[in-house]
Amino acid sequence: GNSVTQMEGPVTLSEEAFLTINCTYTATGYPSLFWYVQYPGEGLQLLLKATKADDKGSNKGFEATYRKETTSFHLEKGSVQVSDSAVYFCALSDYSGAGSYQLTFGKGTKLSVIP
Amino acid sequence: DAGVIQSPRHEVTEMGQEVTLRCKPISGHDYLFWYRQTMMRGLELLIYFNNNVPIDDSGMPEDRFSAKMPNASFSTLKIQPSEPRDSAVYFCASSAPGLAVTTDTQYFGPGTRLTVL
């Protein structure tokens, strides 16, 4: 079956530091890949996505590139801010036809950014 | 747009009681998902619907859990009887894949934090 593995947290960084959160996946077929973010007390929000190999998703200074050869989708940001403190989830989308469609999530990585 | 609406936001109940969680998806969305989030197991898909029809309920943990979607704008997740291990945050999400099913975004509600004593 499908699975997503992302680096264990928590991750604590100083403001303006570089961020990398690793994500690797196992899937049959050609999944789409996502990063979702969950701020304290809220639901998940889509941060970025990529639909095919070598695609780069980007949003709010965050980037991730779909690497089929390494089955990875690592999240990066060049300079984090305190407002980026949240839990980040890597996910893949698997569509197997006849209306069957679901997301598989990693366990989440908690990021804390300190001033 | 109001987004996905869930109620209640917090629920505290005693073991053995019936619990009903409610969800209103975004208007026009034809997929609805129920998830459970715990520290131990992370985010788990429980069940999802397409056009009000349950498509996959393999994630529903036990017969104590049931979900319905009587119309396009309302769904319930019921636990009867509830147990302490059901304590978690339950999220509802909706999406409207159209022609690009694998690329569409799921929009999450704020969640219901359930505590079973």
Side-chain angles (χ1 to χ4, degrees):
Chain A
N2 298 331
S3 67
V4 174
T5 303
Q6 58 182 105
M7 64 186 286
E8 298 278 331
V11 174
T12 302
L13 296 174
S14 297
E15 207 164 21
E16 299 184 3
F18 184 85
L19 168 71
T20 300
I21 301 177
N22 290 336
C23 172
T24 57
Y25 67 91
T26 302
T28 56
Y30 304 95
S32 293
L33 301 175
F34 303 80
W35 277 100
Y36 277 80
V37 58
Q38 183 180 26
Y39 297 102
E42 298 183 12
L44 280 70
Q45 304 172 25
L46 178 70
L47 181 59
L48 53 84
K49 64 184 181 186
T51 61
K52 60 185 186 296
D54 300 324
D55 267 4
K56 178 185 282 188
S58 61
N59 185 27
K60 300 181 181 179
F62 291 89
E63 293 182 341
T65 301
Y66 190 144
R67 300 286 188 201
K68 192 163 184 271
E69 64 277 11
T70 54
T71 61
S72 65
F73 193 56
H74 304 322
L75 182 68
E76 296 182 337
K77 186 175 186 183
S79 177
V80 294
Q81 305 300 312
V82 172
S83 58
D84 294 326
S85 298
V87 181
Y88 293 81
F89 292 88
C90 186
L92 67 83
S93 175
D94 180 22
Y95 178 65
S96 47
S100 178
Y101 154 58
Q102 56 184 284
L103 286 175
T104 301
F105 286 89
K107 296 204 167 190
T109 302
K110 183 175 182 180
L111 170 67
S112 297
V113 180
I114 54 177
Chain B
D1 197 327
V4 176
I5 298 172
Q6 291 187 247
S7 65
R9 292 294 309 275
H10 302 272
E11 176 80 35
V12 179
T13 191
E14 293 190 347
M15 183 173 62
Q17 296 298 306
E18 177 179 295
V19 175
T20 299
L21 311 180
R22 298 173 177 79
C23 175
K24 177 178 168 55
I26 292 172
S27 177
H29 283 191
D30 53 2
Y31 278 81
L32 183 138
F33 305 81
W34 282 101
Y35 292 89
R36 177 172 69 176
Q37 185 179 40
T38 61
M39 290 294 293
M40 290 296 294
R41 300 175 68 90
L43 199 62
E44 304 172 277
L45 176 66
L46 301 177
I47 184 171
Y48 72 96
F49 297 82
N50 179 217
N51 291 319
N52 312 337
V53 176
I55 301 299
D56 187 347
D57 65 354
S58 60
M60 297 284 263
E62 301 172 33
D63 291 345
R64 300 183 296 105
F65 286 70
S66 63
K68 293 182 180 179
M69 192 164 187
N71 57 62
S73 59
F74 183 65
S75 177
T76 59
L77 178 68
K78 185 176 293 186
I79 308 173
Q80 166 63 18
S82 58
E83 297 183 3
R85 60 197 169 113
D86 301 331
S87 298
V89 180
Y90 290 82
F91 289 104
C92 176
S94 70
S95 69
L99 296 177
V101 171
T102 59
T103 66
D104 204 57
T105 301
Q106 290 188 19
Y107 295 86
F108 282 73
T112 296
R113 181 174 295 277
L114 173 64
T115 302
V116 183
L117 302 175

